Amino acid sequence: MKLPNEQGYFGDFGGKFVPETLMTALKELEQAYIEASSDPGFVARLEELRHTYAGRPTPLYEAQRLSEKICGATILLKREDLLHTGAHKINNALGQGLLASRMGKQRIVAETGAGQHGVAAATVCALLGLECVVYMGEEDLVRQASNVSRMKLLGAEVRGVASGSRTLEDAINEAVRDWVTNVQNTHYLLGSAVGPHPYPIMVRTFQSVIGIETREQMLSQYHRLPDYIIACVGGGSNAIGIFHPFRDDSDVKLVGVEAAGRGLNSGLHSASLNRGRVGVLHGAKSYLLQNEHGQIRPTHSIAPGLDYPGVGPEHSYYKESGRATYTAVNDEQALEGFHLLCETEGIIPALEPAHALYYACQIARELPQENLVVVNLSGRGDKDLDIVLQAQEAGE
Ligand SMILES: *Cc1c(COP(=O)(O)O)cnc(C)c1O
């Protein structure tokens, strides 16, 4: 069975829930993406930039001191934190930026919450000489001031969004509105494996480089595949990127880790797959956090990149089919994972993959040393130092 199908469905999830005006743009994008995928020139240019600009391949690193401390399975880290701009988001931004150029679109719009995707988009626009407009909720504009400065240094225009909750959700709506109006010369560079078809499959393809490398590295370094692959899930792009190349390896267990925030029963979390219901958000059908009237619920996570009320449709499909399992880790536990990696390995992780790390340690404790557990270390923690210091002060 081919997934997604022609209409962009993964089982019951996905699709294109958009106004008629966007249908043509999505169709054009899909066509361009299909053509580019089989154009050797496009593929070679992307490959070259991944290597010489972004810093791929990233290492698969055996965390020996961490594993000894846990006293169970051996933990391996896929080091996406070493990439240019500090996270996996550059993989997707490079792919979509090149695609926009190939389509002759000289202008990019993007949404950003914490600013990480905005920075990746602005970076690629500077690299390729494209105009860049980033929409950001006014609430986030204040909270993430240093990323706003970064985007401006990179030549992007940052537009504050004052509607709704003034966060990521509203920034997406505004970016889509701009795209509809300016579709002639504009590409919408969406930052995760969410949104209407073909975005989920396109973003997955650009992020699958993570899993393809991991598979090759496992075979050459360990002569076998891992027992577990564990990744954090916000919209789900770093997770689907590392999961996808292992989808037919039924012995490899895939685990997605959502943000339980202040606790799954507190109402303050971002665990769409664990606690959400099926509905439509941002053009696709998937699990999402909504109240009994179908309105989107406010979300919370200590990790800015996990703070999103929805999730990519392919994860909803994996959940229903049982191919992957989804668990949740709270703020306090993520901080524990964060400090543990700092102290045992000299690596300061982003708070998002710190959720995956914490869960990996829980699992590893129950397993023999020969078992291999891969964690996708999706980003580095420089961006999170203020949050961590504040949490420390509050805890003292
Ligand atoms: C944005 C971000 C995430 C969450 O996004 P996904 O699409 O779920 O991968 C995870 N880790 C880091 C470091 C991020 O910046």
Side-chain angles (χ1 to χ4, degrees), residues 66-318:
L66 175 65
S67 304
E68 276 164 26
K69 177 130 189 175
I70 295 304
C71 211
T74 301
I75 297 178
L76 313 174
L77 305 176
K78 180 59 174 165
R79 299 288 312 271
E80 295 295 294
D81 61 314
L82 293 177
L83 288 172
H84 180 44
T85 68
H88 70 290
K89 289 200 170 71
I90 193 80
N91 300 325
N92 172 48
L94 270 180
Q96 285 195 47
L98 278 182
L99 186 61
S101 289
R102 192 176 186 279
M103 293 171 78
K105 311 244 170 180
Q106 283 300 313
R107 183 172 177 272
I108 297 289
V109 291
E111 83 295 342
T112 201
Q116 292 304 109
H117 172 58
V119 169
T123 298
V124 166
C125 287
L127 170 73
L128 301 176
L130 304 171
E131 185 187 337
C132 185
V133 176
V134 180
Y135 288 91
M136 192 168 184
E138 285 192 344
E139 189 75 25
D140 292 330
L141 221 50
V142 177
R143 285 192 292 199
Q144 310 290 338
S146 70
N147 273 337
V148 175
S149 307
R150 279 192 190 97
M151 289 184 262
K152 288 182 177 166
L153 286 172
L154 293 161
E157 180 192 338
V158 182
R159 291 190 189 162
V161 177
S163 55
S165 59
R166 313 197 305 165
T167 58
L168 177 60
E169 200 200 319
D170 314 290
I172 296 181
N173 294 333
E174 213 49 51
V176 170
R177 216 162 282 149
D178 182 320
W179 188 34
V180 178
T181 316
N182 301 297
V183 68
Q184 215 61 29
N185 69 342
T186 300
H187 170 67
Y188 177 26
L189 209 173
L190 184 50
S192 189
V194 299
H197 181 65
Y199 280 102
I201 180 182
M202 190 170 69
V203 175
R204 177 189 82 192
T205 305
F206 291 138
Q207 293 292 2
S208 286
V209 66
I210 307 172
I212 292 169
E213 283 176 14
T214 303
R215 207 167 191 290
E216 287 169 5
Q217 289 165 326
M218 283 302 308
L219 293 175
S220 70
Q221 293 172 221
Y222 297 91
H223 312 291
R224 70 181 194 86
L225 297 181
D227 298 286
Y228 280 87
I229 297 180
I230 302 180
C232 63
V233 177
S237 71
N238 87 88
I240 206 71
I242 196 166
F243 289 175
H244 183 69
F246 293 91
R247 67 197 176 283
D248 296 327
D249 303 305
S250 52
D251 289 343
V252 180
K253 296 178 194 69
L254 308 175
V255 185
V257 183
E258 296 192 308
R262 309 248 165 87
L264 284 183
N265 297 324
S266 69
L268 286 172
H269 59 74
S270 311
S272 329
L273 290 162
N274 280 276
R275 280 291 195 272
R277 285 183 295 120
V278 177
V280 171
L281 177 67
H282 297 140
K285 188 172 165 194
S286 194
Y287 278 87
L288 46 110
L289 294 171
Q290 50 189 328
N291 65 18
E292 61 274 27
H293 308 297
Q295 278 158 336
I296 298 306
R297 278 182 18 197
T299 53
H300 163 79
S301 169
I302 193 168
L306 301 184
D307 206 342
Y308 177 66
V311 67
E314 197 165 11
H315 287 293
S316 292
Y317 174 72
Y318 273 16

